[in-house]
Amino acid sequence: MKKLSAPFQTKHNTAPFSQIKLEDYLPAFIENIASARAEIDAIATNLEAPTFENTIVALDFSGEQLDRLSSIFFNLNSAETCDEMQKIAQEVSPLLTEFSNDVALNENLFKRVKAVYDQKDSLTLTPEQTTLLDKKFKGFSRNGALLKEADKLVLREIDTELAKLKLTFGENVLAETNNYQLHITNESDLKGLTEGAKEMARSLAKSKELEGWVFTLDFPSYLPFVTYVENRELRKEIAIAAGKKAFQDNEFDNKENVKRIVSLRHKRAKLLGYESHSHFVLEERMAQNPVKVTTFLNDLLQKAKPAAQKEFEQLTVFAKELDGIEQLEKWDGAYYSEKLKQKLFSLDDEILKPYFQLEKVLNGAFIIAEKLFGITFKEVFDINKYHEDVQTFEVLDEKNNLVAIFYSDFFPRKGKRNGAWMTSYKSQAIINGINDRPHVSIVCNFTPPTETKPSLLTFNEVTTLFHEFGHALHGMLANTTYPSLSGTSVYWDFVELPSQVMENWCYEPEALALFANHYETGEIIPQDYVEKIKESASFLEGMATLRQLSFGILDMAFHAVNQEIADVKAFEKAAMDNAALYPDVAENCMSVSFSHIFQGGYSSGYYSYKWAEVLDADAFAYFKEKGIFNKEVATKFKENVLSKGGTEMPMELYKRFRGQEPNADALLKRAGLL
């Protein structure tokens, strides 16, 4: 399949999505792996003495076409998949794992890398080159290059099995999500539900040729249901269904997959000389080791728990007064929180949604990026896309030079996994003196437009859009020499800083005035709503913090200690007990659908959301001090954080931007926990 094995003959070398057939992928992977292998062999067998250029740089630029093909295929496997594509993924993953193992365990190649690494002190390298050299050397040593032959074989087997298990885990969660629907034919069962959510459920029922309303476990369908529907039994039914995904002793059950993944990760870490999987992972993080992470999580837990317990008591009293509820259950949380929020702030999503039309919010993000970083977004219609919902933009600088290609994909559909993410179809790098610009995408699952209304976002969806857009800016404004250090290729506990800091603009009157207009009247969002959004930002923040910390604690429980797990559910319960507020639900288990750590890249890294919140609260405090559109602070952020990628140690970059190390009190203060 030549069109997937050479630079694309398309505008800006963008991915030719519509020209790719499913049967093209496997042959293209086989061909591109062979080409990448030939490039690696040429570096490994080069008769010239190893140098930084002919070994380290050559290695970083090798396999470009394979990287592009992989990014297209695996991104679409998340955003636009089908059974056949998932089968191809199961065939392709072991081939890619085998190839990356062949590179990592190539002795001649490692000898050349080590030869350059050993003379590191006598080479005059820039900080970026030094980082690249360290990264390449560790890429080998952390992947078995120093192992004996027999152990290298064991490592290969582990990696191949892990790649397949992670895919299966994700496929099971997606299958379980797709297999459930709540079909309602009696409108009185939907009392309390918003008109928008009702209309969406009716459209869904219509598309399935059913009468009435259909609700699924997709977030835009599930969340309004558990937040607004008065019928407690129905809330319970759908909440339990969500909580028992892949925990039903059927063909999609993930309990054994969880045990096996955890066991293999520990085995792999031990083989490489580490105490645990967490020790292995955290060596390459700002946090450095499990003790530091556990201390960080427990310290925040201690500070947030009294506030969380107080909030939970307040919510319990409120539910009892309102409806005589004796014991708050998990399916009551969103419902009574929303009711209490309305009582305290006279504010609910339905009042706010008309001010947050998707197109205007997206345009608001664009205007804010222009004010801060001097870039503009121009929608174009001659760039290929993989689905009609996708929009394509050229991103330009003040001199009209191309900065990036930006794709957006906002609505749920059958072949798309839940959640929201940013991804890249092509990294930025400097090739033959030319700054080759990146292609970046954000994918979300927002409330789609209906027959009578445009897509109107909840405030939570607004912050999600800004969050993913922050990741996108990190990718789009990349300005490094080497592809493996570009954009979001940074330490995992630093990657959430640009995304989380962008969310802050959603709470600022000056920023909201740019995009929060009523979709029918054009009226700017009233100032008292803005005040209430700000006041309610820290509403039940103690409970939200505890929930987030409990996920990080569970992640560390799985990965920081080498142990046998007899029962996944019992293990989870014990790990999260100290942060639990609601009674346990026997039929539910979160671990078996905890895709962040068992399918995505967050194992031993879930703490990084909170870690990055400390960075983002501290960073935004600097913006607040100087003005939220202050050009000087924005330029410092762009030059020291967004454009630098992973070229230097994150703390050094942060201090260069901020002038000091981050202070955790900024977060606790913002959350109203101090």
Side-chain angles (χ1 to χ4, degrees):
M1 171 60 198
K2 278 290 168 229
K3 64 171 168 269
L4 288 175
S5 306
F8 305 133
Q9 300 307 305
T10 52
K11 188 179 184 184
H12 305 307
N13 188 15
T14 48
F17 297 113
S18 65
Q19 297 164 31
I20 307 169
K21 297 182 179 72
L22 284 173
E23 60 266 24
D24 296 337
Y25 283 117
L26 191 58
F29 269 110
I30 290 166
E31 190 178 337
N32 284 347
I33 288 171
S35 302
R37 199 182 288 281
E39 289 176 47
I40 293 295
D41 289 344
I43 300 166
T45 56
N46 188 346
L47 297 175
E48 291 172 23
T51 64
F52 181 78
E53 284 297 325
N54 73 18
T55 303
I56 307 302
V57 175
L59 188 54
D60 204 53
F61 281 96
S62 69
E64 187 199 350
Q65 210 51 39
L66 177 61
D67 289 344
R68 292 215 62 192
L69 173 63
S70 298
S71 74
I72 292 169
F73 178 78
F74 287 103
N75 286 332
L76 293 189
N77 195 36
S78 288
E80 185 64 5
T81 194
C82 59
D83 291 348
E84 199 183 330
M85 193 164 203
Q86 290 178 8
K87 278 199 196 89
I88 298 166
Q90 290 283 6
E91 285 183 76
V92 162
S93 287
L95 299 179
L96 291 169
T97 303
E98 183 189 13
F99 171 65
S100 65
N101 276 335
D102 286 347
V103 175
L105 302 175
N106 183 320
E107 278 185 40
N108 287 339
L109 186 60
F110 180 55
K111 274 181 193 153
R112 291 182 68 85
V113 170
K114 191 172 182 304
V116 181
Y117 186 78
D118 287 345
Q119 46 176 316
K120 170 174 152 179
D121 295 340
S122 62
L123 303 171
T124 47
L125 300 177
T126 65
E128 183 178 355
Q129 290 171 327
T130 304
T131 302
L132 185 70
L133 179 54
D134 283 344
K135 188 172 179 171
K136 291 299 172 207
F137 179 75
K138 278 184 177 168
F140 284 92
S141 63
R142 285 169 57 81
N143 283 295
L146 301 168
L147 294 178
K148 297 190 193 83
E149 274 316 305
D151 288 341
K152 284 182 182 178
L153 283 174
V154 175
L155 187 73
R156 280 173 182 270
E157 285 163 12
I158 291 173
D159 285 346
T160 304
E161 191 179 345
L162 273 173
K164 284 195 145 184
L165 282 167
K166 283 165 71 174
L167 266 177
T168 304
F169 182 96
E171 285 167 8
N172 287 348
V173 175
L174 183 63
E176 291 273 88
T177 305
N178 288 339
N179 285 348
Y180 176 85
Q181 65 177 37
L182 178 60
H183 180 207
I184 304 246
T185 49
N186 186 349
E187 192 164 3
S188 63
D189 284 337
L190 299 179
K191 195 169 175 224
L193 189 65
T194 60
E195 279 311 311
K198 219 187 268 190
E199 198 176 342
M200 193 172 124
R202 190 188 277 290
S203 304
L204 194 55
K206 221 188 242 179
S207 72
K208 293 172 181 281
E209 298 180 359
L210 292 169
E211 288 299 308
W213 302 264
V214 166
F215 298 88
T216 68
L217 300 179
D218 286 324
F219 229 58
S221 179
Y222 173 79
L223 195 62
F225 195 94
V226 293
T227 306
Y228 295 108
V229 169
E230 289 179 18
N231 187 320
R232 195 180 184 210
E233 281 308 306
L234 286 174
R235 288 204 314 271
K236 177 180 178 179
E237 184 187 323
I238 199 169
I240 286 180
K244 66 178 184 185
K245 283 185 303 212
F247 187 64
Q248 304 192 68
D249 293 322
N250 60 10
E251 61 184 306
F252 304 118
D253 195 278
N254 267 337
K255 291 193 290 289
E256 291 307 316
N257 291 331
V258 166
K259 287 190 212 174
R260 188 72 184 140
I261 290 170
V262 169
S263 162
L264 286 172
R265 282 173 173 168
H266 280 306
K267 194 174 169 189
R268 185 181 198 280
K270 282 284 198 208
L271 193 64
L272 292 167
Y274 294 85
E275 205 176 308
S276 72
H277 178 66
S278 292
H279 286 84
F280 171 77
V281 169
L282 293 167
E283 184 184 61
E284 296 274 82
R285 301 286 189 263
M286 286 175 87
Q288 296 167 330
N289 60 62
V291 173
K292 202 165 175 182
V293 171
T294 306
T295 306
F296 170 75
L297 292 171
N298 287 332
D299 185 41
L300 275 181
L301 182 69
Q302 226 176 331
K303 287 173 177 165
K305 198 171 178 175
Q309 285 168 327
K310 210 164 140 192
E311 290 164 2
F312 190 71
E313 279 160 30
Q314 181 190 14
L315 200 59
T316 302
V317 168
F318 175 70
K320 189 169 183 185
E321 281 171 6
L322 197 66
D323 292 325
I325 300 286
E326 289 296 332
Q327 172 65 64
L328 268 190
E329 301 285 355
K330 285 182 179 169
W331 44 88
D332 298 319
Y335 180 76
Y336 287 107
S337 297
E338 184 61 29
K339 284 265 185 282
L340 181 58
K341 188 175 173 183
Q342 286 175 29
K343 184 187 170 189
L344 295 177
F345 306 105
S346 315
L347 188 72
D348 73 24
D349 272 332
E350 289 313 296
I351 294 174
L352 295 176
K353 276 169 80 170
Y355 295 95
F356 295 125
Q357 184 179 339
L358 171 60
E359 294 77 3
K360 290 178 180 170
V361 176
L362 181 62
N363 196 45
F366 291 166
I367 295 167
I368 288 166
E370 183 179 2
K371 281 176 169 290
L372 292 170
F373 310 120
I375 53 175
T376 51
F377 290 74
K378 181 179 131 199
E379 186 168 11
V380 289
F381 301 92
D382 54 355
I383 285 176
N384 212 291
K385 47 199 198 180
Y386 56 85
H387 191 277
E388 59 187 16
D389 286 350
V390 176
Q391 286 176 280
T392 51
F393 300 85
E394 287 175 346
V395 187
L396 307 166
D397 67 11
E398 281 133 327
K399 292 178 181 162
N400 239 19
N401 298 314
L402 185 76
V403 172
I405 299 299
F406 176 65
Y407 300 85
S408 66
D409 176 2
F410 288 129
F411 306 122
R413 50 181 178 266
K414 193 169 184 266
K416 187 178 188 181
R417 72 173 166 89
N418 259 335
W421 61 96
M422 166 267 179
T423 192
S424 162
Y425 286 105
K426 184 163 89 63
S427 299
Q428 175 272 338
I430 293 174
I431 301 169
N432 302 325
I434 292 166
N435 198 327
D436 196 36
R437 300 310 302 166
H439 301 171
V440 166
S441 171
I442 61 175
V443 187
C444 305
N445 281 277
F446 292 152
T447 311
T450 63
E451 285 169 17
T452 60
K453 287 189 184 80
S455 173
L456 301 175
L457 304 185
T458 64
F459 187 69
N460 190 37
E461 288 176 325
V462 174
T463 57
T464 297
L465 191 152
F466 270 73
H467 178 100
E468 298 310 332
F469 187 66
H471 281 310
L473 288 170
H474 202 181
M476 293 188 286
L477 294 173
N479 196 21
T480 62
T481 309
Y482 308 110
S484 73
L485 301 178
S486 180
T488 56
S489 302
V490 299
Y491 277 6
W492 206 264
D493 45 9
F494 193 57
V495 81
E496 294 297 334
L497 167 61
S499 55
Q500 289 182 190
V501 84
M502 279 310 291
E503 291 182 37
N504 289 284
W505 273 266
C506 301
Y507 297 92
E508 297 297 320
E510 216 183 320
L512 285 166
L514 300 171
F515 63 87
N517 308 80
H518 195 286
Y519 80 102
E520 286 174 316
T521 66
E523 170 205 14
I524 285 189
I525 192 166
Q527 191 55 36
D528 62 324
Y529 286 7
V530 177
E531 289 310 314
K532 284 171 182 171
I533 287 174
K534 291 194 76 152
E535 278 173 39
S536 65
S538 57
F539 172 65
L540 302 186
E541 187 60 38
M543 285 171 69
T545 299
L546 227 60
R547 181 174 180 269
Q548 190 86 325
L549 292 172
S550 72
F551 296 164
I553 289 164
L554 177 63
D555 174 25
M556 294 309 287
F558 276 122
H559 294 118
V561 182
N562 202 346
Q563 63 213 313
E564 278 302 310
I565 296 165
D567 180 318
V568 174
K569 166 76 178 178
F571 181 86
E572 170 181 303
K573 195 170 179 296
M576 296 169 92
D577 203 42
N578 198 22
L581 294 168
Y582 292 95
D584 180 56
V585 181
E587 311 88 310
N588 287 182
C589 177
M590 184 227 165
S591 303
V592 292
S593 61
F594 197 174
S595 300
H596 271 79
I597 68 170
F598 290 119
Q599 183 194 4
Y602 276 85
S603 65
S604 297
Y606 202 87
Y607 75 92
S608 60
Y609 281 109
K610 271 286 166 242
W611 184 275
E613 268 185 61
V614 169
L615 297 178
D616 110 61
D618 186 66
F620 195 67
Y622 188 24
F623 273 101
K624 289 281 281 185
E625 187 190 313
K626 303 280 187 186
I628 65 162
F629 290 118
N630 182 284
K631 222 31 187 169
E632 186 195 342
V633 179
T635 303
K636 274 181 159 181
F637 193 68
K638 179 181 173 181
E639 287 177 358
N640 295 302
V641 177
L642 296 176
S643 69
K644 282 285 191 289
T647 54
E648 291 181 64
M649 291 302 275
M651 193 56 89
E652 290 310 307
L653 294 175
Y654 187 82
K655 285 194 297 196
R656 216 172 293 154
F657 152 66
R658 185 67 168 99
Q660 62 187 47
E661 287 208 2
N663 181 351
D665 285 356
L667 170 65
L668 296 167
K669 210 161 157 184
R670 182 177 72 184
L673 300 177
L674 262 193

